[in-house]
Amino acid sequence: MNRKVFMVLALAGTVALGACGGRATNEVPSNTPGVSSNTPVASSNASGASSNASGASCQVLRADLEWYGDNRARLNEMIARVGECGGSGNVAEGAPVALLDWDNTVVRNDVGDAQTYWMLNNGKVLQPNNRDWTTMSTWLTDDAARALSAACDALAEPGQPLPTNTTAGRACADEIVSIYDEGETIGDATAFKGFNARRIEPRYAFAAQLLSGYTADEIKTFAKQARRQNIAAAEDTDQLVGSTEVTGWVRYYEQIVDLIDVLRANGFDVRIISASAQPVAQAWGEEIGIAPEKVMGVITMPDADGKLTPKLAGCGTDAESITYLEGKRCRVNEEVFGIDSSKAFAVADMDHRGAFGAGDSDTDVAFMLDATELRLAINRNKTELMCYAYHNEDGKWLINPMFIDPEDKKDEPYPCSTKGRILPNDEKGPLTESDGDVIADQEDRVFGD
């Protein structure tokens, strides 16, 4: 792939922070799959930062990996100031917490997509109980359930694999992909309704629910096979699922893998908070040394035999919430900081919040807003996230183009003042500051060229 060159634009309100101290090489292991070695050399303003532990230098971000503007310097300064070189990395022992989304934040492209496509192309999705697709998702519309039944019901008995990897199963595969990717049937009927759009994206839940009938360990095995396939595929590769052309590759972002390593070396408790199925995100995280218990994703409940069911685990006081937007805040509050479920959707006090957050999408806004030190927004032109990031009310936002194939400049300003906020009914409304003032529309200023 031809990488796009990042535009060098100065963001208003950012502060260039010089730093000093020794530099650890922190080379990414050469055997890490999907981590490229041809990233362009960075500009000279990205200096290291000294550790705050006994004056000894600690690991800093690699100078040969390109970051936008002064992002590397600001990250190094924050890590050195907040972290502890060689610290425990355990929030229970007082370690600062770093929270990162996974899809298009740690990796380019989406592992939930990759898994769904792999399941279909390998004939692993199982026919629902009683051939009733509404048992798979409570938000599925009647139109969508009928479309799935028409395409899939005759192909297999309940609990048996649907042959979506065959000519006979092509229409079934196409219908599932349309409902998952577009939220619509092939006939353009709305696929989901009746959900709180600040706590769940039913398409993402559907991807996890399609894994029903297998144990979490079996899903991890499938995910490792999907990972090998998507890492081996050339960048820009497409694949056919049924008769639908979809993305066929994934890459780890070298800069973010390095950032995770540096955060851990400096004593941060690094956690992943993803809207992909938890066993899938765990399998991808293990490849770069992230322990399964440090990964939060969409959880579906097992039955008595340990087989996953379509039933969602929920969070806080909402049994239907997933790790999406405010659902991510809830899960972090409950699982990482031990906040009571009755208060898990509320913004926590400063002592029970992450120091650093990174994400690329509106689904990441809530946990990123809670970060007390810095917030890294990977620009994918997502309105609510980029409105907050460009407005930069407290000066703690960093913006970086995607590290692989970044988006071009958004032609029109982000409509923050009118359609900046996702509303619970899935409509859009004005986005406001913490004091209630409406955020003005924002120009796109950090992008690829």
Side-chain angles (χ1 to χ4, degrees):
M1 170 182 293
N2 293 324
R3 296 180 186 275
K4 299 183 181 178
V5 179
F6 294 168
M7 291 191 71
V8 181
L9 300 170
L11 276 176
T14 58
V15 180
L17 297 171
C20 60
R23 184 185 309 280
T25 58
N26 185 30
E27 295 295 333
V28 173
S30 60
N31 62 346
T32 301
V35 178
S36 63
S37 59
N38 59 349
T39 307
V41 175
S43 58
S44 61
N45 71 338
S47 55
S50 60
S51 168
N52 59 359
S54 304
S57 58
C58 198
Q59 193 165 332
V60 297
L61 296 173
R62 289 172 52 184
D64 64 320
L65 299 179
E66 184 168 9
W67 287 82
Y68 174 83
D70 64 354
N71 286 350
R72 183 200 339 265
R74 294 192 67 189
L75 287 166
N76 275 332
E77 186 279 332
M78 183 276 294
I79 291 168
R81 173 170 49 83
V82 177
E84 178 185 0
C85 190
S88 71
N90 186 345
V91 64
E93 298 176 7
V97 174
L99 296 159
L100 297 93
D101 168 58
W102 186 265
D103 300 307
N104 282 299
T105 299
V106 180
V107 298
R108 179 68 164 93
N109 292 329
D110 190 298
V111 303
D113 290 355
Q115 192 62 43
T116 301
Y117 304 150
W118 186 93
M119 296 288 288
L120 292 168
N121 271 348
N122 287 274
K124 296 296 186 182
V125 174
L126 304 182
Q127 181 79 270
N129 291 334
N130 301 317
R131 294 187 175 88
D132 182 359
W133 285 89
T134 63
T135 64
M136 191 70 74
S137 170
T138 59
W139 300 281
L140 204 66
T141 63
D142 290 342
D143 286 337
R146 282 193 292 268
L148 287 165
S149 290
C152 304
D153 281 4
L155 298 175
E157 294 297 317
Q160 295 302 305
L162 292 164
T164 49
N165 56 337
T166 68
T167 301
R170 183 177 297 159
C172 179
D174 287 343
E175 198 66 66
I176 292 172
V177 169
S178 180
I179 286 170
Y180 168 60
D181 280 354
E182 307 298 333
E184 295 181 344
T185 68
I186 290 175
D188 297 327
T190 299
F192 301 101
K193 67 177 182 178
F195 55 93
N196 182 340
R198 294 199 67 81
R199 295 186 177 182
I200 187 168
E201 169 49 79
R203 295 186 300 111
Y204 299 169
F206 188 58
Q209 291 163 325
L210 288 172
L211 307 176
S212 296
Y214 299 99
T215 67
D217 284 343
E218 287 172 329
I219 295 303
K220 286 182 183 180
T221 298
F222 294 160
K224 291 174 183 178
Q225 294 177 50
R227 185 186 67 209
R228 285 194 294 271
Q229 173 187 314
N230 281 267
I231 293 300
E235 292 183 16
D236 276 344
T237 295
D238 289 329
Q239 61 179 322
L240 279 178
V241 180
S243 60
T244 308
E245 191 172 80
V246 297
T247 301
W249 64 281
V250 175
R251 292 292 183 277
Y252 292 90
Y253 280 142
E254 200 169 2
Q255 288 88 341
I256 302 299
V257 173
D258 181 43
L259 174 60
I260 289 170
D261 287 343
V262 172
L263 287 164
R264 290 190 298 196
N266 284 272
F268 281 74
D269 191 337
V270 179
R271 305 286 180 122
I272 300 300
I273 176 72
S274 174
S276 289
Q278 183 161 293
V280 175
Q282 287 174 330
W284 282 82
E286 287 176 359
E287 189 66 26
I288 58 171
I290 299 175
E293 64 270 18
K294 300 287 187 177
V295 177
M296 295 167 280
V298 178
I299 296 177
T300 53
M301 301 300 291
D303 62 17
D305 297 321
K307 305 287 187 179
L308 299 180
T309 72
K311 180 177 175 56
L312 299 170
C315 184
T317 56
D318 189 343
E320 296 181 334
S321 171
I322 65 169
T323 42
Y324 177 84
L325 225 167
E326 291 174 3
K328 286 194 173 186
R329 169 185 286 151
C330 180
R331 184 73 177 280
V332 168
N333 284 349
E334 273 193 344
E335 185 166 323
V336 180
F337 294 107
I339 293 172
D340 186 83
S341 61
S342 64
K343 302 176 181 178
F345 279 104
V347 178
D349 62 77
M350 295 292 284
D351 291 334
H352 295 86
R353 290 160 67 177
F356 172 73
D360 71 288
S361 183
D362 297 338
T363 181
D364 306 319
V365 162
F367 84 84
M368 291 180 70
L369 283 172
D370 292 349
T372 59
E373 296 294 334
L374 285 180
R375 311 174 192 106
L376 174 64
I378 308 298
N379 186 2
R380 282 209 304 134
N381 291 344
K382 299 300 182 179
T383 298
E384 187 166 340
L385 176 67
M386 298 314 297
C387 285
Y388 277 123
Y390 279 126
H391 181 62
N392 199 15
E393 181 180 4
D394 60 4
K396 295 180 179 180
W397 286 91
L398 307 177
I399 301 172
N400 216 96
M402 291 188 293
F403 298 102
I404 299 174
D405 195 19
E407 296 285 349
D408 295 332
K409 176 180 171 64
K410 190 175 185 298
D411 292 336
E412 300 296 327
Y414 292 96
C416 313
S417 66
T418 55
K419 296 182 178 180
R421 179 178 173 83
I422 297 171
L423 302 177
N425 66 358
D426 205 27
E427 299 293 329
K428 301 291 176 63
L431 190 64
T432 59
E433 297 178 314
S434 57
D435 62 5
D437 289 343
V438 174
I439 294 175
D441 294 353
Q442 300 290 316
E443 293 284 344
D444 196 17
R445 307 192 296 278
V446 181
F447 48 85
D449 182 28

